[in-house]
Amino acid sequence: GGGGGPAPFLLKTYEMVDDPSTDAVVSWSDASDASFVVWNSPEFAARLLPTYFKHSNFSSFIRQLNTYVGLSLSLFPKSLN
């Protein structure tokens, strides 16, 4: 069984997205569904992932995110597909 709280991965992701200083790279979507958008994937991988997750692999982040929440890559800008 788990410890009862949200997974550390989800807490770190929320903290990263919610930080106003990262809005040019990743921010909450304008939609009301609590989704977020990665605006600059190279910067996200190079600067933010190592800060929060000790790696810089964007694909690995997406795979891990997908284990917790449903993810539609069609929501991402075409440059990321």
Side-chain angles (χ1 to χ4, degrees):
F9 173 83
L10 296 178
L11 293 173
K12 289 178 182 181
T13 300
Y14 180 91
E15 181 182 339
M16 177 177 57
V17 175
D18 206 48
D19 182 349
S21 73
T22 68
D23 282 358
V25 179
V26 61
S27 68
W28 295 113
S29 167
D30 288 335
S32 60
D33 60 359
S35 61
F36 64 90
V37 178
V38 175
W39 301 107
N40 184 332
S41 58
E43 182 75 4
F44 182 85
R47 186 170 62 91
L48 295 182
L49 287 181
T51 299
Y52 288 87
F53 299 104
K54 302 184 180 106
H55 71 80
S56 60
N57 188 319
F58 186 75
S59 296
S60 177
F61 172 80
I62 295 299
R63 280 193 301 273
Q64 191 167 7
L65 182 65
N66 201 31
T67 66
Y68 293 102
V69 296
L71 182 69
S72 171
L73 288 180
S74 65
L75 296 177
F76 286 90
K78 292 294 182 197
S79 64
L80 299 182
N81 286 334

